[in-house]
Every structure is written in C-alpha cells, then in structure tokens.
Amino acid sequence: MELTVYLAGQIHDDWREQLIQKAKEKKLPLHFVSPQTNHDKSDDIGEEILGEQPNQFFRDDAASSINNLRTQVLMQKSDVVIALFGEKYKQWNTAMDASAAITMNKPTIIVRPESLIHPLKELSNKANVTVETIEQALEVLAYIFE
Amino acid sequence: MELTVYLAGQIHDDWREQLIQKAKEKKLPLHFVSPQTNHDKSDDIGEEILGEQPNQFFRDDAASSINNLRTQVLMQKSDVVIALFGEKYKQWNTAMDASAAITMNKPTIIVRPESLIHPLKELSNKANVTVETIEQALEVLAYIFE
Amino acid sequence: MELTVYLAGQIHDDWREQLIQKAKEKKLPLHFVSPQTNHDKSDDIGEEILGEQPNQFFRDDAASSINNLRTQVLMQKSDVVIALFGEKYKQWNTAMDASAAITMNKPTIIVRPESLIHPLKELSNKANVTVETIEQALEVLAYIFE
Amino acid sequence: MELTVYLAGQIHDDWREQLIQKAKEKKLPLHFVSPQTNHDKSDDIGEEILGEQPNQFFRDDAASSINNLRTQVLMQKSDVVIALFGEKYKQWNTAMDASAAITMNKPTIIVRPESLIHPLKELSNKANVTVETIEQALEVLAYIFE
Amino acid sequence: MELTVYLAGQIHDDWREQLIQKAKEKKLPLHFVSPQTNHDKSDDIGEEILGEQPNQFFRDDAASSINNLRTQVLMQKSDVVIALFGEKYKQWNTAMDASAAITMNKPTIIVRPESLIHPLKELSNKANVTVETIEQALEVLAYIFE
Amino acid sequence: MELTVYLAGQIHDDWREQLIQKAKEKKLPLHFVSPQTNHDKSDDIGEEILGEQPNQFFRDDAASSINNLRTQVLMQKSDVVIALFGEKYKQWNTAMDASAAITMNKPTIIVRPESLIHPLKELSNKANVTVETIEQALEVLAYIFE
Amino acid sequence: MELTVYLAGQIHDDWREQLIQKAKEKKLPLHFVSPQTNHDKSDDIGEEILGEQPNQFFRDDAASSINNLRTQVLMQKSDVVIALFGEKYKQWNTAMDASAAITMNKPTIIVRPESLIHPLKELSNKANVTVETIEQALEVLAYIFE
Amino acid sequence: MELTVYLAGQIHDDWREQLIQKAKEKKLPLHFVSPQTNHDKSDDIGEEILGEQPNQFFRDDAASSINNLRTQVLMQKSDVVIALFGEKYKQWNTAMDASAAITMNKPTIIVRPESLIHPLKELSNKANVTVETIEQALEVLAYIFE
C-alpha cells in the first residue's frame, strides 16, 4: 500500500525537498504531491496562460484560479495532507488548504513553530495532529506503516 | 424566507454590530450568528469550563475546542457565510472558517481591504464573491431578496 | 407541507408571474424563488456593487459571481426546480442550473417548446419530467398534493 | 500519477484529436475519455440498440439515455473535465456536463471563444478556469505536473 | 417535534387510512405523506398531463416519471419510511422505494405478511425493523416519542 | 480503462455466463462481479457459517446478512450495474439492488422482458437504460468504449 | 434559534433529568431528545412489539433494531450530541452513538469521569470537547448562545 | 480483485496473525491493515513523537491523535472492516471504529464471544454480520469470492 501525501504550505524554502529526501532514506512507500513551489512561476502562471490582465487584482486572480485547480486535483488524489506554517509569511492559502482537507475528511498534520501556537490554535485543534518539525511529521507518516 | 448568516472574522472591532444595524435599517429578513466576539471570553473559555490547563498551548487548545464546537453548530445552521479580514491580525481561523464553509458548499462572501488582495488571492478565488466593505457584503445579501 | 420551488430559466418574459398567478388560483401551498428577473439589473449588479470593471469580460464575471451566489442560496433552499427554455435565447445558464439541480438530487421539471427537443435531449433525459407549457409544470406540482 | 481527463463539448470538429496529439507531444501522463464523437452514431445509438422508436422525440430520448450512461461512467472515472464550446452549436449538453462536473467537485476547465463571453458568463464563473484555446487548456493541465 | 412519515407500498387497499386513523387516536405528532393512492389516477397521470403516448410502454413511462418525481419530493421531506408489502401484487416499486430510502439513510420499517419472509429476506435484513401489521409499525413509531 | 460491472438479478439460469462469454468474444475490457449464483449455497450460507438457526425466518435472515455484505462490497467496487428481471420469480432483491445502485449514483441498466413493462415501470424510469436482452445490455457497455 | 440536543449514554441514573432541569433554569433555548431511558422497556421493546423471540440473542436483537431506529431518527434531527459515560457499565452503545454522531459531523461533547480517561482516549480525541460533569457540558452549550 | 480489510479490535493477543495466516492458507486475495498492535508502542507514540506531555491525560491524548490518524488513513483505504471484541477489555475504541466504519458505509463484520451478546446488541444489530470466531469472519470474506 502506497500513500499519496499532499504537502501544503509555504513555498519560500526547501522544506518539501528535505521531507521527501528523509522519506526516501526511510524507504517509506510515500508519493508526494505539492503546489507549484517556484514562487515566480506560481504568481505568473495566470498571465502566462491567459495573457496580460488589466491590473494586479486580476493578475492575482488569474494565477489563483490555476493554482487552485492544481491543488484541487492533487488533494483529491491524496490520502494524507501535511500543512506547514513558517514564521515569516501570512500563508492564508495554507490555512485554506488545511481547512479544506479537514472538511473533506483527509487526515491532516499541521507543522508549525512554537511561536505560532496562539494564531493557529483553532486550526491545530481541528487537525488530526500538530507537530513542530518535518521530522515529526514524517514520524507520524512512518507510524502508519509500522 | 429568512436566511441565517454566519459572520466569520476578526473580533477586534464592531464590524458585526455595524453590519447587523444596517441590515435592520434595510429591513432584510436576515438572522445573524457569530463566533464569541468578546476576545478575553473567547481566549478564557477553555479554562473557565475545563479548569486550569498545564500551559499556554493546552490553554489555547482547550479554548479552541469549545470555540470550534460553537462555530460548527452555528455554521451548519447557516445559509450564507461572510468572512471579514482586517489589516491588523493574522486571522488564520477566519481563513479556516471561510475554507470550511466553501468546502461545505455554503455560499461565501469575503470582505477584505485592497491591501490584502495578494495574500488572500486563493481564498478570494474560491469564494463566491469578494468585496471590500461590509456595505457591499450587505448589498450582495440584499440582492438575494430583490 | 409547503414546498419551495426554484424557477430557473429565461428572464425575458413574464412566465414566472403567470405560473405564480396560476398556482395562487389553484391555492397550492407553493413558495416560489427565482433569479433576478430584471435583465438590466442582473447584468449591472456586478459593477453596481463592486464598482467599474476593466472591460466587458470582468463586468460579466462580476455580475455572474453575485447572480451565482443568489442562485446557490435559493436553490439549496428549494424542494423542486423548474427550468424553462424558450426559443429565442442561448440560456446556457439555464442548462447549468438544471444540471446542478439534478446533480444535487433536486427533483427537476424541464419546460421547453417542441422545437427544442433535439438540442435539449440529454438534459431532458436526465430531468425527472419534461413538459411543454407552464400549465403542465404546474399540474405536475399540483399532483404532489393530490 | 496519471490523470484521466473527460473531454466534454462539441463533436462537430476534431478538437479532441488535436488536444490529445499535443498532449502526447508534451509527454503528459494524461488519459483522455470522451463522449461518442461520431455524430450520426451518437444520434442513432438509441434505435440501434433499442429498436425503432415511435417518433423523433422518443428516438432522441433513447439515444440520450445511452449517451448519458456513457458520460456518467466516464466522468465518474475522471480527475479533471474540459468542456469546449464553439460558436456554431447550441450545445446545451456541454453546459449540462460542465455543470454536473462542477457540482460533483470535478476540477473543470471551460474552453470558449471570446464571442461567447456573455452567454457563458455564469458557467465560466463557476468553473475553475476559463480559456479560449485548447493549447491553453493543455497548459493548465501541464502545470499540474510541473 | 413532529415527524414526517412516508408510506410506501401497495395502493390497492386502505391500509394508509387505517394507519393514519390509529395514529390520530394515539395522538402521535406524525404527519403522513404517500404516493398517489388512486390507482387509475396514478396510471393515467402521464397521459393526463403530457398527452397521449405512442403505446403502453411510453404511457407507463410518462406516468412513472411524474410518480417518481412525487415520491422523490416527499421522501426527501420525510424522517421515517414505512414500506408495506401485501400478498397479491408484485410491487417492485415498493422494493425500489424502500431500498432508496435505506440507501438515503432514512430509518425504514418494512410491513409484510409471514408468507413473504423468503422473497423479502434481503430487504428485510437491510431495513431497520420488519413487522407484520400496521399496528406494529405504529407501535415502533409511537416508541420514538415514549 | 477497465470497468467493473455488477450483475444483479435472478440466479436461476445462466444469463451471467452467457453475458460474460459474449463480452469475452467482443474483447471488452470488462470485469464482472455477481451475487452468489448457486441458489442452495446462497440460501444455506447463513447456517453454514453461523450454525443452525431457530426457524426459517432466522435462517433466511442469517443468509441475507451475508449475501447483503457480499453485494455491498462488490457493488461499491463497481462502475456499472446491470439488473436482470425474468418472468418467473419475484426477485424483490433485484429491485432492491437496482434501486440501491441508482441511489448510489451507479450507472444502471435494467434488463426485463416486455411482459414486465408495467410492474417495473417506476424502476425502469429511474434507471439509465432499460433493455430486453443481455445482448442489448452488452451493446450499451460496448458503446462506452467505442 | 433553538437547538436540538441528543443525550446519548447510560440510562441507569437520572443525569438527563438533572441536565434538562439545569438547562431550564438557565433558560437556554434547547430541546432535548434521548434514547428510551426506562431500562426494562428498552430491553423488552422487541418482544413487546414483535412477539416472543426464540432466545436471548434474538430477544436482544429485536429490541436493538427498534432502539437503533429511534436513535437514528432522533440523532438525525439533532444539532449537537452529548454522550455520557459512567463508571459502572460497559456502554458500548454509547461509544457507538458518539462515534456515529462524530462521523455524521454532529458536534459532539463527551462527559466521562477522570477514571475513564485511558479507555476513552481515542473517542475523546475525536469528539469536539470532553468534560467531566453535566454542568460543564451545559456550560459548553450555553456558550453557543453567549 | 483484491480487497483491503481493516482489522479493528483488541491488540492484546495474536488474533490478527491467526486470521492473516488462515487467509493465506486459503489463498484469498485479501490485504490486511491494522492499528498498531504493539500495546506499549501504541500508548507511547504520542510522547515519542511530540515529546513529554504534562500529565497522563495529555499523554493519552497525544497518543490517540496519532493512532486516530493512522486508523482514519487505513480505514478509508479499506473495503471491509472486521471488529473483534474479547472478554477482557473495555475496548471502547473498537466500538468507535466499528461504528465509524458502519456510518461510512464500510461493510462490517463483528466478532464477539457469546458472553458479550447483551452489551454489544446495538452495534451487532447495525453491523452487516456478527460472528463468534475469526474462522467464521474469514468464511464470510471467502464467500465474497466464491
């Protein structure tokens, strides 16, 4: 049994690569899917496909429509969702993805630093498990196969 | 036909009272429900009912469990959801509520200032309508009855 | 037992008023809800609430977002859907509403002239009942109470 | 991860073959399914299997029942739906398929020429993404794998 | 709390009137809904509304489409379903209604004579409760309020 | 794409073997699943596994519980359901299976002789397609792959 | 807005009467529904309605079928579920009811003594809120209206 | 066709190994998944991954959150659920898992000794089949392939 895991969350560092690398080292039967992690690509994709938009709002909306389609396709294919929040960014779309996953009954793991306990308390309470590091998230996944 | 409207979002100012007052003036057949808007009450409710918790994390989690139950009860009773984002706060729980509402097929209106276009672009794209003021949100509701 | 009936379809003539009037004459316990039937209002509502849009596409999209919210709210409250197609207009939104209703398991009646048998054959086959006049649609509704 | 894509829409030209060819050239892991694209076959299938029908209405209904079964089977197997509208035909069944897909939470891309912006505005607003060419639709699909 | 009860089953005798009368005597807060119990009316309703049909098959199908719409509307409004099978008739539509109710998670009571134990064994096993008389069915309903 | 087809209906003749043989000859990518077609086995399975039961009613109920589990497992795995009614038997469980399939949104084909038009009219109206022979049912399946 | 609350759990003491009395004193707009709390009645109801059963197993199963129907009807009508576990009894049916409620997305409060923390840990983790006294459960309900 | 079977229930003896061994001997195409059966591991997993918790309640809750995620992932992948109750332990989580499975429409088999007939009567009535030994449970599974 292989599980597909959607990795929601910030796209400003390489946490996904680290997590995927560690999963490989542990030889876990996991297949990972993700949002577009090239930030510029993610912001530009609307105009890239649909052409120039009238202003920043419509530019953002065009990109979001395509990013949201991508997320919907991949999340529906997933068995588990990991959503990581870092300290720097607002990442409302991460909260949106995690909440959508929970409402769709996808088992969901939140990764967030201790400093975000208070602002993320409601989401954390609704998720299955909340951890502070990607190593811990991976231990939770590994535990499914033990 | 009376509609029940859940008012998700920040609890640091009186936007709900203003919106409810304006709805009354327009004599719209709307019934509004909300999260706990007394911020201290909302943060304290866990320990108030369940007793002192071991530390801040568990204090927050206890409060969130009760606030989340409240939200779940009231949102399931609602026909429409309005989620307001202001400039000051992180409000990940607002994003969580809006996303849960959208995933549950509740028609959803986002209210957010122009300055939040970029960070809220994905959520805005998934919601039915995004506006910048509570007056506009109310006009959308009023339009249902025209 | 009162039933709520959503009247989807063209907004270019007064078929809804006729149907509602006839329902009243028959003293049927029916409550009717409808899309915005003032065509100009329906086309203008986006810019009216959200302000001027960059071009016709965005003007239409803004209006549609608000009309779709209205339809979603009212259709979710409905027990039966009637969708009327006339000979003049494309009315893809009527086909969209009828198909959404059927997929949501709302009992659905199609009203269409004989001339539209061929282009509407798939939708007609999926709906519960297809008739040619609003009088027939009303007879179907009346039969529920016999 | 291979995705199955349902290609709804007009069956009067070879847009599906073009799109499938281009997908092959890009080596995208996509599997395409479609309605019956032989128009005569599609219109005749009812009488072909069920025997001669009393008149054109029943002939159309018999064909539609079998075409709708085909669509239901294939759409339920699909991960994404593309619905193409051309300028020539009424294609209410395309609107029906797109709306059913959206209501079933299938990620959906509309392809339509600029001239159809106004009549398709509500459906376009409900779909995930609307584009004007099959190349753009394919770029959206390709983006899922980037 | 008033409950709505759908009375599926044969329409060849007055079992519904008897059951409703006994419910009244017990002053139970029950509201009953039923299929069309006038057999001729039920068979004729298709042609009555839609006009003469080409042959018996289409005459039956026209009537069924309207009777099925009625059943769908009323069963969706119901909290409990009672399905009665008698010894005389085939009543596959009763089995159809009972099975649809069970699949929709409507609590369901089967009433059938001892002689039908064997042919109804699978349906009986899926229903919540199987009894032999309408008095027993009513006792089950009465028990909800005790 | 291979489709799984559940073959509901009478188990007193070899219609399934015939249909499966013809499907093989046509090289259709179909995988068939069925209820227990050994009638004695099907009736005895309850006591065979659970031991002797107090009387015929409980003997039947024990068998049905295991046959219903089998049907539920296999029908949930299926993409299409064929339900065949013959002239000899009451087969309420066939009506039950077909109705459950339709309510679960499984595309459903009814096979029944002309003589059963009237008693099966409601079920026939709810199914996607109704045919009279297994050859026709197979043609409908074959059409999905054309 | 009045809420309906299902009170699952042991029927060996008067905790429901106490809770309902306290709710009345607080003038909360709550309507309570419950399983049969007369233990003998609850155990006898199967034979009372269906007649003598062959042995204890069937006697219990007959009673359970009717008690489960009652629970299903009332729980489907409820907005919130409270499930109380006491120290004395096994109450697997309370765990069953609580788990069914949670799986149906009914907001759920567990009441259990400190001594049951370990055996109820998984259920407690899945419920919205876990408290130790009915006063606390009522405070959670009261908080919804604050 | 291979079926995935979730084995819920007590983790204090080797009933799963026995059942899996017997399934292998019968060459049944079954794939089994289970909760963590190392009791200490199951109790410790919370602190193992999340670090030391403030007290026994939070230690248990941390472990449960991870065990519940595991169960949710594996049960969603399963086609059938077997839930075994032994005489020694409270096993409310087994009742919880069985009830969740039934509510999710997973075909469910209960295994319990005769001595537990009375306390498990409601759950037993809701499950598809109840047996007393794992051999019987396996016979039920084997019957699906006969």
Side-chain angles (χ1 to χ4, degrees):
Chain A
M1 179 181 285
E2 199 193 51
L3 298 177
T4 299
V5 184
Y6 186 83
L7 300 174
Q10 66 177 23
I11 59 175
H12 308 77
D13 62 12
D14 67 344
W15 71 272
R16 284 181 188 79
E17 288 65 33
Q18 288 179 38
L19 190 150
I20 292 169
Q21 182 53 35
K22 284 173 210 283
K24 255 188 214 153
E25 286 163 16
K26 293 193 176 198
K27 300 193 178 169
L28 294 171
L30 297 170
H31 174 67
F32 294 97
V33 288
S34 302
Q36 175 56 256
T37 55
N38 177 329
H39 200 175
D40 287 346
K41 182 85 185 172
S42 165
D43 277 1
D44 296 346
I45 189 65
E47 294 200 328
E48 210 172 273
I49 296 181
L50 299 168
E52 204 183 341
Q53 300 297 308
N55 61 36
Q56 188 58 37
F57 169 76
F58 291 108
R59 177 177 145 77
D60 273 353
D61 194 52
S64 296
S65 70
I66 294 167
N67 284 308
N68 282 344
L69 178 136
R70 178 184 168 127
T71 303
Q72 190 180 338
V73 170
L74 297 179
M75 204 184 273
Q76 289 181 349
K77 298 294 258 190
S78 298
D79 303 302
V80 185
V81 173
I82 295 178
L84 179 141
F85 292 85
E87 274 171 328
K88 263 207 199 144
Y89 306 95
K90 279 208 156 146
Q91 303 155 299
W92 277 320
N93 59 338
T94 308
M96 173 186 91
D97 287 348
S99 180
I102 293 164
T103 310
M104 290 160 74
N105 286 320
K106 300 280 176 189
T108 301
I109 301 166
I110 304 282
V111 187
R112 57 106 186 83
E114 209 185 334
S115 58
L116 294 183
I117 286 178
H118 193 67
L120 277 171
K121 61 188 184 298
E122 288 88 0
L123 192 58
S124 182
N125 176 263
K126 282 179 85 169
N128 293 63
V129 182
T130 298
V131 299
E132 294 187 10
T133 68
I134 57 171
E135 286 76 12
Q136 289 172 310
L138 204 56
E139 285 179 70
V140 175
L141 293 181
Y143 181 72
I144 299 173
F145 299 100
E146 269 169 34
Chain B
M1 178 182 287
E2 200 193 53
L3 298 176
T4 300
V5 183
Y6 186 83
L7 300 174
Q10 65 178 22
I11 59 175
H12 308 78
D13 62 12
D14 68 344
W15 71 272
R16 285 181 188 78
E17 287 65 32
Q18 289 179 37
L19 190 150
I20 292 168
Q21 181 54 32
K22 283 173 210 285
K24 253 188 215 153
E25 286 162 17
K26 292 192 175 200
K27 299 193 178 169
L28 294 171
L30 297 170
H31 173 66
F32 293 98
V33 289
S34 301
Q36 175 56 257
T37 55
N38 178 329
H39 200 174
D40 287 346
K41 182 84 186 173
S42 165
D43 276 359
D44 297 345
I45 189 65
E47 294 200 328
E48 211 173 90
I49 295 181
L50 298 168
E52 203 182 344
Q53 301 298 307
N55 60 36
Q56 187 59 35
F57 169 75
F58 291 107
R59 175 177 147 78
D60 273 354
D61 195 52
S64 296
S65 71
I66 295 168
N67 284 309
N68 281 345
L69 178 136
R70 178 184 169 129
T71 302
Q72 190 179 339
V73 171
L74 296 179
M75 203 184 274
Q76 288 182 348
K77 298 294 258 190
S78 298
D79 303 302
V80 186
V81 172
I82 294 178
L84 180 141
F85 292 84
E87 275 171 327
K88 263 208 200 142
Y89 306 95
K90 279 209 156 142
Q91 300 155 302
W92 277 320
N93 59 337
T94 308
M96 173 186 90
D97 287 348
S99 181
I102 292 164
T103 309
M104 289 159 74
N105 287 320
K106 300 280 176 190
T108 301
I109 301 166
I110 304 284
V111 187
R112 58 105 187 83
E114 210 186 333
S115 57
L116 295 182
I117 287 179
H118 193 67
L120 278 171
K121 61 187 184 300
E122 289 88 1
L123 191 59
S124 181
N125 177 263
K126 282 179 86 169
N128 292 62
V129 182
T130 299
V131 298
E132 294 187 8
T133 67
I134 58 171
E135 285 77 12
Q136 289 172 310
L138 204 57
E139 283 179 71
V140 175
L141 293 182
Y143 181 71
I144 300 172
F145 299 101
E146 267 171 36
Chain C
M1 179 181 286
E2 200 194 51
L3 298 177
T4 299
V5 183
Y6 186 83
L7 301 174
Q10 65 177 25
I11 59 175
H12 308 78
D13 62 12
D14 66 345
W15 71 273
R16 285 181 188 79
E17 286 65 34
Q18 288 179 39
L19 190 151
I20 292 168
Q21 181 54 34
K22 284 173 210 286
K24 255 188 214 153
E25 286 163 18
K26 292 192 175 198
K27 300 193 178 169
L28 293 170
L30 297 170
H31 173 67
F32 294 98
V33 289
S34 301
Q36 175 56 258
T37 55
N38 177 329
H39 199 175
D40 287 346
K41 181 84 185 173
S42 165
D43 276 0
D44 296 346
I45 189 66
E47 294 200 329
E48 212 172 90
I49 295 180
L50 299 168
E52 203 182 342
Q53 300 297 309
N55 60 37
Q56 188 57 38
F57 169 75
F58 292 107
R59 175 177 146 79
D60 273 354
D61 194 52
S64 296
S65 70
I66 295 168
N67 284 309
N68 282 345
L69 177 136
R70 178 183 169 129
T71 303
Q72 190 179 340
V73 171
L74 297 179
M75 204 184 273
Q76 289 182 348
K77 298 294 259 189
S78 298
D79 304 302
V80 186
V81 172
I82 294 178
L84 179 142
F85 292 84
E87 275 171 328
K88 263 206 199 146
Y89 306 94
K90 279 209 155 144
Q91 302 155 302
W92 278 320
N93 59 339
T94 308
M96 174 186 89
D97 287 348
S99 180
I102 292 164
T103 309
M104 289 160 73
N105 287 319
K106 300 281 176 189
T108 301
I109 302 166
I110 304 283
V111 187
R112 58 104 187 84
E114 209 184 334
S115 57
L116 294 182
I117 286 179
H118 193 68
L120 278 171
K121 62 187 183 300
E122 289 87 2
L123 191 58
S124 182
N125 177 262
K126 281 178 86 168
N128 293 63
V129 182
T130 299
V131 299
E132 294 187 10
T133 67
I134 57 171
E135 285 76 12
Q136 289 172 311
L138 204 56
E139 285 179 70
V140 175
L141 293 182
Y143 180 71
I144 299 172
F145 299 101
E146 268 170 36
Chain D
M1 179 182 285
E2 200 194 53
L3 298 177
T4 300
V5 183
Y6 186 83
L7 300 174
Q10 66 177 22
I11 59 176
H12 308 77
D13 62 12
D14 67 345
W15 71 273
R16 284 180 189 80
E17 287 65 32
Q18 289 180 38
L19 190 149
I20 292 168
Q21 182 54 35
K22 284 172 209 285
K24 255 188 214 153
E25 287 162 16
K26 292 192 175 200
K27 300 194 178 167
L28 293 171
L30 297 171
H31 173 67
F32 293 98
V33 289
S34 302
Q36 175 56 257
T37 55
N38 178 330
H39 199 173
D40 288 346
K41 182 84 186 175
S42 165
D43 276 1
D44 296 347
I45 189 65
E47 293 201 328
E48 211 173 272
I49 296 180
L50 299 168
E52 203 182 344
Q53 300 298 308
N55 60 36
Q56 188 58 37
F57 169 75
F58 291 107
R59 176 177 146 77
D60 274 353
D61 194 52
S64 295
S65 70
I66 295 167
N67 285 307
N68 281 345
L69 177 136
R70 178 184 168 127
T71 303
Q72 190 179 340
V73 171
L74 297 179
M75 204 184 274
Q76 288 181 349
K77 298 293 259 189
S78 299
D79 302 302
V80 186
V81 173
I82 294 179
L84 180 141
F85 292 84
E87 275 171 325
K88 263 208 198 143
Y89 306 95
K90 281 211 153 140
Q91 302 154 300
W92 277 320
N93 59 338
T94 308
M96 173 186 90
D97 286 348
S99 180
I102 293 163
T103 310
M104 288 160 75
N105 286 320
K106 299 281 176 191
T108 301
I109 301 166
I110 304 283
V111 187
R112 57 105 187 82
E114 210 186 332
S115 58
L116 294 183
I117 287 178
H118 193 68
L120 278 170
K121 62 187 184 300
E122 288 88 1
L123 191 59
S124 183
N125 177 263
K126 282 179 85 168
N128 292 62
V129 182
T130 298
V131 298
E132 294 186 9
T133 68
I134 58 171
E135 285 76 13
Q136 290 172 309
L138 204 56
E139 285 178 70
V140 175
L141 293 182
Y143 182 71
I144 299 172
F145 299 100
E146 269 171 34
Chain E
M1 178 180 287
E2 199 193 53
L3 298 177
T4 300
V5 183
Y6 186 83
L7 300 174
Q10 66 177 24
I11 59 175
H12 308 79
D13 62 12
D14 67 343
W15 71 272
R16 284 180 188 79
E17 287 65 33
Q18 289 179 38
L19 190 150
I20 292 168
Q21 182 53 34
K22 284 173 210 285
K24 255 189 214 152
E25 287 163 16
K26 291 192 175 200
K27 299 194 178 169
L28 294 171
L30 297 170
H31 174 66
F32 294 97
V33 288
S34 302
Q36 175 55 258
T37 54
N38 178 329
H39 199 175
D40 288 346
K41 181 84 184 173
S42 165
D43 276 0
D44 296 346
I45 188 65
E47 294 201 327
E48 210 172 273
I49 295 181
L50 298 168
E52 202 182 344
Q53 300 298 308
N55 60 36
Q56 187 59 36
F57 169 75
F58 291 107
R59 175 178 146 79
D60 273 354
D61 194 52
S64 296
S65 70
I66 295 168
N67 284 308
N68 281 346
L69 178 135
R70 177 184 170 129
T71 303
Q72 191 179 340
V73 171
L74 297 179
M75 204 185 273
Q76 288 182 348
K77 299 294 258 190
S78 297
D79 303 301
V80 186
V81 173
I82 294 178
L84 179 141
F85 292 85
E87 275 171 328
K88 262 207 199 146
Y89 307 95
K90 278 207 158 147
Q91 302 156 302
W92 277 320
N93 60 338
T94 307
M96 173 186 90
D97 287 348
S99 181
I102 292 164
T103 309
M104 290 159 74
N105 286 321
K106 300 281 175 190
T108 301
I109 301 166
I110 304 283
V111 188
R112 57 107 188 81
E114 210 185 333
S115 57
L116 294 182
I117 286 179
H118 193 67
L120 278 170
K121 62 187 182 301
E122 288 89 0
L123 192 59
S124 181
N125 177 262
K126 282 179 86 168
N128 293 61
V129 183
T130 298
V131 299
E132 295 187 9
T133 68
I134 58 172
E135 285 77 12
Q136 289 172 310
L138 204 57
E139 284 178 71
V140 175
L141 293 182
Y143 180 71
I144 300 172
F145 299 101
E146 268 171 34
Chain F
M1 178 180 286
E2 200 194 54
L3 298 177
T4 299
V5 183
Y6 186 84
L7 300 174
Q10 66 178 23
I11 59 175
H12 308 78
D13 62 12
D14 67 345
W15 71 272
R16 284 180 188 80
E17 287 65 32
Q18 289 179 38
L19 189 150
I20 292 168
Q21 182 53 34
K22 284 172 209 284
K24 256 188 214 153
E25 287 162 17
K26 292 191 174 201
K27 299 193 179 168
L28 294 171
L30 297 170
H31 173 67
F32 293 97
V33 289
S34 303
Q36 175 57 256
T37 55
N38 177 328
H39 199 173
D40 288 346
K41 182 85 185 173
S42 166
D43 277 0
D44 296 346
I45 189 65
E47 293 201 328
E48 210 172 273
I49 296 181
L50 299 169
E52 203 183 344
Q53 301 297 309
N55 61 36
Q56 188 58 37
F57 168 75
F58 291 107
R59 174 176 148 78
D60 273 354
D61 194 51
S64 296
S65 70
I66 295 168
N67 284 308
N68 281 346
L69 177 136
R70 177 183 170 128
T71 303
Q72 190 179 340
V73 171
L74 297 179
M75 204 184 274
Q76 288 181 349
K77 297 294 256 188
S78 299
D79 303 302
V80 186
V81 173
I82 294 179
L84 180 141
F85 292 84
E87 274 171 326
K88 262 206 198 147
Y89 306 95
K90 280 209 156 146
Q91 301 153 302
W92 277 320
N93 59 338
T94 308
M96 173 186 89
D97 286 348
S99 180
I102 293 164
T103 309
M104 289 160 75
N105 287 319
K106 300 280 176 191
T108 301
I109 301 166
I110 303 283
V111 187
R112 57 106 186 82
E114 210 186 334
S115 57
L116 294 183
I117 286 179
H118 193 67
L120 277 171
K121 61 187 184 300
E122 288 89 1
L123 191 58
S124 182
N125 176 263
K126 282 180 85 168
N128 293 62
V129 182
T130 299
V131 299
E132 294 187 10
T133 67
I134 57 171
E135 285 77 12
Q136 290 172 309
L138 204 56
E139 284 179 70
V140 175
L141 293 182
Y143 181 71
I144 299 173
F145 299 100
E146 270 171 33
Chain G
M1 178 181 286
E2 199 193 54
L3 298 177
T4 300
V5 183
Y6 186 83
L7 300 174
Q10 66 177 24
I11 59 174
H12 308 79
D13 62 12
D14 66 345
W15 70 273
R16 284 180 189 79
E17 287 66 31
Q18 289 178 38
L19 190 149
I20 292 168
Q21 181 55 32
K22 284 172 209 284
K24 253 188 215 153
E25 286 162 16
K26 291 192 175 201
K27 299 193 180 169
L28 294 171
L30 298 170
H31 173 67
F32 294 97
V33 289
S34 302
Q36 176 56 258
T37 54
N38 177 329
H39 200 173
D40 288 346
K41 181 84 185 174
S42 166
D43 276 0
D44 296 346
I45 189 66
E47 293 201 329
E48 210 173 273
I49 295 181
L50 299 168
E52 202 182 344
Q53 301 297 309
N55 60 36
Q56 188 58 35
F57 169 75
F58 292 107
R59 173 176 148 78
D60 273 353
D61 194 52
S64 296
S65 71
I66 295 167
N67 284 308
N68 281 345
L69 178 135
R70 177 183 170 128
T71 302
Q72 190 179 341
V73 171
L74 297 179
M75 204 184 274
Q76 289 182 348
K77 298 294 256 190
S78 298
D79 303 302
V80 186
V81 172
I82 294 178
L84 180 141
F85 292 84
E87 275 171 326
K88 262 207 198 145
Y89 306 96
K90 279 210 156 143
Q91 301 154 303
W92 276 321
N93 59 339
T94 307
M96 174 186 89
D97 286 348
S99 180
I102 292 164
T103 309
M104 291 159 73
N105 287 319
K106 300 282 176 189
T108 300
I109 301 166
I110 304 283
V111 187
R112 57 107 188 81
E114 210 185 333
S115 57
L116 295 183
I117 286 179
H118 193 69
L120 277 171
K121 61 186 183 302
E122 289 88 1
L123 191 58
S124 182
N125 177 263
K126 282 179 86 169
N128 292 63
V129 182
T130 299
V131 298
E132 295 187 9
T133 67
I134 57 171
E135 285 76 12
Q136 289 172 310
L138 204 56
E139 284 179 71
V140 175
L141 293 182
Y143 181 71
I144 300 172
F145 299 102
E146 269 171 35
Chain H
M1 178 181 287
E2 199 193 55
L3 298 177
T4 300
V5 183
Y6 186 83
L7 301 174
Q10 66 177 24
I11 59 175
H12 308 78
D13 62 13
D14 67 345
W15 71 272
R16 285 180 188 79
E17 287 65 32
Q18 290 179 38
L19 189 150
I20 292 168
Q21 183 54 34
K22 285 173 209 285
K24 256 189 214 151
E25 286 162 17
K26 292 192 174 199
K27 300 194 179 169
L28 294 171
L30 297 171
H31 174 66
F32 294 97
V33 288
S34 302
Q36 176 55 259
T37 54
N38 177 329
H39 199 176
D40 287 346
K41 181 84 184 172
S42 166
D43 276 0
D44 296 346
I45 190 65
E47 293 201 328
E48 210 172 275
I49 295 181
L50 299 168
E52 202 183 343
Q53 300 298 308
N55 60 36
Q56 188 57 38
F57 169 75
F58 291 106
R59 176 178 146 79
D60 274 353
D61 194 52
S64 296
S65 71
I66 294 168
N67 284 308
N68 282 345
L69 177 136
R70 177 184 170 128
T71 302
Q72 191 179 339
V73 171
L74 297 179
M75 204 184 273
Q76 289 181 349
K77 298 294 258 189
S78 298
D79 303 302
V80 186
V81 173
I82 294 179
L84 179 142
F85 292 84
E87 274 171 327
K88 261 207 199 146
Y89 307 95
K90 278 207 157 146
Q91 302 155 301
W92 277 321
N93 59 338
T94 307
M96 173 186 89
D97 286 348
S99 180
I102 293 164
T103 309
M104 289 160 74
N105 286 320
K106 299 281 175 189
T108 301
I109 301 166
I110 304 282
V111 187
R112 57 106 187 82
E114 210 185 333
S115 57
L116 294 183
I117 287 178
H118 193 67
L120 277 170
K121 62 188 184 300
E122 288 88 0
L123 191 59
S124 182
N125 177 263
K126 282 179 85 169
N128 293 63
V129 182
T130 298
V131 299
E132 294 187 10
T133 67
I134 58 172
E135 285 76 12
Q136 289 172 310
L138 204 56
E139 285 179 69
V140 175
L141 293 182
Y143 181 71
I144 299 172
F145 300 100
E146 269 171 34

